[in-house]
Amino acid sequence: MVNALITGITGQDGSYLAELLLDKGYKVFGMQRRASTTTDIRVAHLLDRIVLIPGDLLDQNSLKMALQQSEADEVYNLAAQSFVPTSWNQPLLTGEITGLGVTRLLEAIREVNPKAKFYQASSSEMFGKVQEVPQTERTPFHPRSPYGVAKAYAHWITVNYRESYDMFNCSGILFNHESPRRGLEFVTRKVSFGVAKIKSGLASELYLGNLAAKRDWGFAGDYVEAMWRMLQQDEPNDYVVATGETHSVEELCQIAFSHVDLDFKEHVKIDDRFIRPAEVDLLIGDATKAQDILNWKPQVMFDALVRMMVDADLELLSSNGKRHPDTLHHQAL
């Protein structure tokens, strides 16, 4: 049996990855920060099959203890301060967790079990002000937010430890990936939940920022498969994971509202509070390397993804408000 340690297991990607690894017969350990409120909603259905270990990317000793307790053969680092707008308000914290936290984890792996395979969740936000379209593994980084800068540091320190200490370190440069388990602060879920509220008569308007911003959006359930495949290769490497399609926030709104027979123009309002200080205008990934080496391709494309999220939020609201907005629909997914 293979032991896997997932940091950030209580997040969107962590929950899907845990399901995938359990289905493959892994023993799954999840690192969880101590908190005064419940944070395991996304993995509540898995609590009898996984082992949660306290740990924090800010605390080196807790990382070593998590590695020792799990005896991990594979380590998936999905933990981060992952909301881009928050990184503008908390740039130092974002750097400590999303950037330096990866160094702490790599050091802990090097000391406890340098033979463990390591996956780092890199991000398309590293490309920022893009230098070429589409973006590949060779495209230079030009991050446009403290989050993107921190992710670029984390990416390069992962490469550095691979080359310096012969560690099996992989980075997945994942483009935006969404699901009904996405947090309400992210634009896709903000739109799907907003549409559900408006259709249900609980709201009449949805406030957004830059409708012209374009992203390459895929389904998180597909993308965790690519993470796992990276660590099954003979040699470590870095891969872009993307659909190869780009869509604007306006298109997102069009599809989401039309799915429930509404016109987005009658409900969407622009609020300057949601405009970033430096915008990333166009992201589109070229996942040819992942397709050729990992034999990976996305299964759920943009239109189906948006409709999936709207349907899930409609179901959520139909339960008469008895469930938290982050409640997940495991049976449907």
Side-chain angles (χ1 to χ4, degrees), residues 118-301:
F118 176 72
Y119 171 83
Q120 166 58 19
S122 288
S123 169
S124 59
E125 289 286 332
M126 301 186 303
F127 295 122
K129 188 176 181 180
V130 298
Q131 307 299 294
E132 63 180 357
V133 178
Q135 294 87 54
T136 72
E137 295 81 6
R138 298 176 300 278
T139 302
F141 300 146
H142 189 145
R144 297 268 280 175
S145 68
Y147 170 79
V149 172
K151 279 292 187 181
Y153 171 87
H155 178 87
W156 283 118
I157 200 67
T158 299
V159 172
N160 184 261
Y161 269 63
R162 178 172 70 210
E163 295 176 350
S164 301
Y165 300 114
D166 195 29
M167 296 170 68
F168 196 106
N169 295 345
C170 297
S171 284
I173 306 174
L174 270 59
F175 281 64
N176 294 66
H177 46 290
E178 318 297 320
S179 76
R181 304 181 189 181
R182 196 52 144 155
L184 289 168
E185 69 272 22
F186 291 89
V187 68
T188 47
R189 184 74 194 287
K190 184 176 181 180
V191 168
S192 68
F193 191 65
V195 167
K197 287 178 66 177
I198 292 169
K199 184 64 175 180
S200 301
L202 300 176
S204 59
E205 296 178 334
L206 174 63
Y207 291 90
L208 298 172
N210 181 12
L211 298 187
K214 294 183 177 181
R215 296 290 184 273
D216 184 328
W217 277 299
F219 174 48
D222 291 340
Y223 284 31
V224 299
E225 172 82 20
M227 299 177 189
W228 174 77
R229 292 191 180 205
M230 290 178 207
L231 297 196
Q232 311 316 307
Q233 304 306 306
D234 293 332
E235 299 293 334
N237 216 319
D238 305 322
Y239 301 87
V240 163
V241 179
T243 69
E245 295 182 359
T246 188
H247 301 274
S248 67
V249 176
E250 182 170 326
E251 288 179 79
L252 167 66
C253 293
Q254 288 174 333
I255 295 170
F257 277 89
S258 64
H259 184 54
V260 294
D261 299 319
L262 294 174
D263 183 350
F264 84 95
K265 294 179 181 178
E266 296 179 2
H267 301 281
V268 172
K269 308 297 180 184
I270 303 302
D271 189 329
D272 290 341
R273 292 178 301 167
F274 301 127
I275 303 292
R276 296 181 184 182
E279 181 59 88
V280 176
D281 294 313
L282 173 61
L283 289 174
I284 178 170
D286 180 351
T288 300
K289 183 177 177 181
Q291 293 173 12
D292 292 346
I293 299 177
L294 305 180
N295 193 29
W296 177 88
K297 286 186 177 181
Q299 302 301 310
V300 179
M301 301 307 285

Side-chain angles (χ1 to χ4, degrees), residues 29-98:
F29 297 81
M31 197 180 80
Q32 181 182 33
R33 284 189 302 124
R34 292 197 182 278
S36 58
T37 57
T38 300
T39 59
D40 57 11
I41 294 173
R42 293 179 180 85
V43 293
H45 64 302
L46 302 176
L47 291 178
D48 60 341
R49 303 173 63 197
I50 62 178
V51 179
L52 294 179
I53 302 172
D56 196 312
L57 289 179
L58 296 176
D59 183 61
Q60 181 83 13
N61 192 52
S62 72
L63 300 178
K64 293 175 66 174
M65 293 178 66
L67 289 163
Q68 291 166 347
Q69 182 176 340
S70 63
E71 297 182 332
D73 304 294
E74 297 177 3
V75 179
Y76 295 85
N77 182 41
L78 310 184
Q81 189 301 98
S82 59
F83 190 43
V84 175
T86 296
S87 76
W88 291 104
N89 298 326
Q90 298 179 310
L92 296 178
L93 180 65
T94 300
E96 282 286 354
I97 296 174
T98 306

